Amino acid sequence: MPTDSWATLLVDGQWRPGATSFEVVDPATGEPIGRAADGTARDALAALDAACAAAEAWRAVSAEERGGHLRRAAAAIRDRVDVLAALLTRENGKPLGEARAELLGSARMLEWSAEEARRAGGRVLPPSPSGPGLVVKAPVGPALAITPWNFPASMLIRKIGLALAAGAPLIVKPAEQTPLIATELVRVLHDTGLPAGVLQSITTSRPAEVAGALLADPRLRKVSFTGSTEVGLGLLRATDTHLRRTSLELGGHSPAIVFADADLPAAAAGVVAAKFFNAGQSCIAVNRLYAHRSVHDELLGLIEEKVAALRVGHGAAEGTTIGPLIDQAALDKVERQVADAVERGARVRVGGRRWSGPAELKGAFYEPTVLTEVGDDMLVTREETFGPVLPVYSFDTDDEAVTRANATEYGLAAYLFGRDLSRLWTAADRLDFGVIGVNDPAPVRPELPFGGMRNSGQEREGGAEGIEAFLETKAIAIKL
């Protein structure tokens, strides 16, 4: 793929260069891999003008036709998955196998969204003495999607698929760390023949300036954001003159509970997968592991063995299972949490320090780490880590485990491992989290709604609920 094509913005159906560009680096080596167009507030408002102009015509396009664009894009992603995965790995750092899986999952999400376009109808109510009633769904209008760097393909595609399926024109603002894969995926969608203004992309190194210009404009009717809780709360406070629909998928502090009757080898494999995928840089990564005291030591031994076998390196190198953290600030945060835990009495069982590899790998690497004897007052217990560190705790009763798991301001994901269905159901019912994996380390599927409670967000993406985020509801009463 030509690298000069990355330094372009998609505005009103045309790829155009930015006035300036910014450098994008491989987080494993620090070496530049390309440049992205550095969009401005002026570019963003031009995109909003085009989205507003396109809104009525796109709304009138049939659900079948809108879905056709998404299905063609899904097929194109599958055809180019190896090339796209190589770019994703170079830009984000994750292992090549994970990048490939993310892209194939993105294709599935597009296909799901295409079908949701057909199902996004309303309903006819039984006649009342006054006459019949209708509930009608309508596109929310021009929307903005702000996407993160940790899953720069799947988070982008999930928002694009649902918005376009609903009939809402969309402007995407990818993370400044990973604009290249986003540009390529927007190109895939655009090349399906989308009308001008329906999908537009503004890459930028000045996200606050670009987003601020759009948020100040009342013509923007919807924002869908995935990122930190701090930034998400800021988006809600961004204007005080008008309301708009806002979907937020924010931070997490996911607990995993392993009950005494769990299949311990399977639970150990599940916890390691759910913790160390993408080097722990996932909002649904396990941040706290609660093991029943009777199986704590056996489970810990199995986990230590698996974690010690993880291979750190460049994501494109064969056999790599842990890539770099995205930048130095991420590494500093992980080091700060581990140092705080050790100073307060925690014990490092595996890892616990920066990883030193070949000289060319200058990135922010950290060894996969397991901590025990962790207290509830430590930073690692209270703050989201976003790195490859697993703190392990023990518990004695089911009630204690659930109470401690819920002791956080976040409510995105949680995990349960055990055999007793009654116990699992009771725990799942009591856990205050939007996504719960029961003996399942990867509880994210296109057909399931995704989102959190409390400070982990509002509204949902995916599932039958996902398209509702881009639809308004009208009640029509008819008097005969």
Side-chain angles (χ1 to χ4, degrees):
M1 57 187 70
T3 57
D4 58 349
S5 68
W6 292 331
T8 52
L9 308 168
L10 179 60
V11 178
D12 199 14
Q14 300 295 319
W15 290 100
R16 66 190 198 190
T20 59
S21 63
F22 62 97
E23 189 174 76
V24 182
V25 302
D26 181 334
T29 65
E31 296 298 319
I33 58 176
R35 300 190 70 83
D38 203 357
T40 64
R42 183 175 180 178
D43 294 318
L45 291 175
L48 183 56
D49 289 341
C52 292
E56 283 302 314
W58 184 242
R59 173 180 180 159
V61 169
S62 70
E64 180 62 30
E65 186 176 341
R66 294 198 299 264
H69 289 283
L70 304 182
R71 282 186 284 269
R72 290 192 294 275
I77 289 172
R78 288 197 174 93
D79 288 343
R80 301 178 55 197
V81 67
D82 291 332
V83 174
L84 292 170
L87 175 60
L88 176 50
T89 289
R90 289 185 66 202
E91 188 176 33
N92 168 273
K94 66 180 59 183
L96 197 56
E98 292 186 15
R100 197 171 188 276
E102 182 177 343
L103 287 157
L104 292 175
S106 298
R108 287 186 61 217
M109 188 65 213
L110 286 174
E111 290 166 340
W112 172 265
S113 298
E115 295 303 310
E116 285 298 282
R118 292 196 256 206
R119 292 190 283 262
R123 63 186 187 272
V124 178
L125 302 177
S128 73
S130 299
L134 305 175
V135 178
V136 176
K137 302 292 183 177
V140 70
L144 168 66
I146 303 174
T147 60
W149 54 261
N150 58 333
F151 292 97
S154 60
M155 297 295 99
L156 177 87
I157 289 296
R158 187 157 62 189
K159 296 178 192 298
I160 290 175
L162 292 169
L164 299 194
L170 186 68
I171 304 166
V172 298
K173 201 294 292 176
E176 56 268 32
Q177 297 92 336
T178 52
L180 307 185
I181 187 64
T183 298
E184 285 301 313
L185 290 172
V186 168
R187 192 179 306 280
V188 167
L189 269 296
H190 176 69
D191 287 350
T192 66
L194 285 172
V198 168
L199 177 62
Q200 302 175 90
S201 177
I202 306 294
T203 57
T204 183
S205 67
R206 296 164 285 185
E209 174 188 322
V210 166
L214 292 170
L215 292 170
D217 195 315
R219 295 178 299 166
L220 184 73
R221 299 307 309 144
K222 166 75 183 183
V223 176
S224 179
F225 170 80
T226 299
S228 72
T229 297
E230 179 183 7
V231 174
L233 292 174
L235 289 175
L236 290 177
R237 297 189 292 264
T239 63
D240 57 7
T241 59
H242 53 273
L243 294 173
R244 68 166 53 89
R245 296 275 297 281
T246 304
S247 297
L248 301 174
E249 195 270 283
L250 308 177
H253 204 284
S254 306
I257 300 173
V258 178
F259 294 110
D261 65 341
D263 178 335
L264 295 186
V271 168
V272 171
K275 168 71 254 186
F276 294 99
F277 187 80
N278 200 28
Q281 298 173 115
S282 169
C283 53
I284 64 168
V286 172
N287 272 259
R288 297 166 289 146
L289 171 59
Y290 297 98
H292 191 272
R293 195 174 302 278
S294 66
V295 297
H296 175 277
D297 292 349
E298 184 179 354
L299 177 68
L300 181 61
L302 293 168
I303 288 175
E304 288 177 351
E305 182 180 350
K306 289 184 176 298
V307 173
L310 295 173
R311 181 175 172 182
V312 182
H314 194 292
E318 186 176 354
T320 295
T321 50
I322 297 286
L325 298 176
I326 192 65
D327 55 25
Q328 184 62 43
L331 178 60
D332 291 344
K333 180 179 181 181
V334 170
E335 284 193 315
R336 183 171 63 252
Q337 287 196 0
V338 173
D340 172 81
V342 171
E343 288 172 6
R344 294 171 182 266
R347 179 182 174 190
V348 176
R349 301 295 294 253
V350 181
R353 59 188 178 185
R354 295 190 184 198
W355 178 79
S356 298
E360 65 270 17
L361 296 185
K362 303 180 179 69
F365 291 91
Y366 198 83
E367 294 179 342
T369 297
V370 178
L371 302 175
T372 58
E373 301 175 35
V374 184
D376 290 344
D377 61 336
M378 299 176 184
L379 291 178
V380 75
T381 306
R382 296 183 283 110
E383 296 180 358
E384 185 177 27
T385 303
F386 236 61
V389 178
L390 177 65
V392 184
Y393 314 76
S394 61
F395 70 90
D396 293 301
T397 68
D398 296 357
D399 183 69
E400 176 195 354
V402 172
T403 298
R404 293 174 69 187
N406 279 336
T408 174
E409 66 181 286
Y410 301 105
L412 184 55
Y415 302 85
L416 299 170
F417 295 90
R419 289 190 175 96
D420 185 321
L421 183 58
S422 176
R423 169 186 283 140
L424 293 169
W425 178 258
T426 299
D429 184 56
R430 291 185 58 201
L431 286 169
D432 296 327
F433 296 84
V435 177
I436 299 175
V438 179
N439 296 318
D440 184 350
V444 180
R445 307 168 193 166
E447 59 271 20
L448 288 174
F450 183 85
M453 302 177 181
R454 297 178 289 184
N455 269 0
S456 284
Q458 62 185 23
E459 297 196 334
R460 294 294 184 267
E461 295 181 339
E465 294 80 1
I467 200 168
E468 292 291 332
F470 292 96
L471 294 171
E472 293 284 15
T473 301
K474 294 182 179 180
I476 301 177
I478 303 173
K479 187 171 183 178
L480 300 178

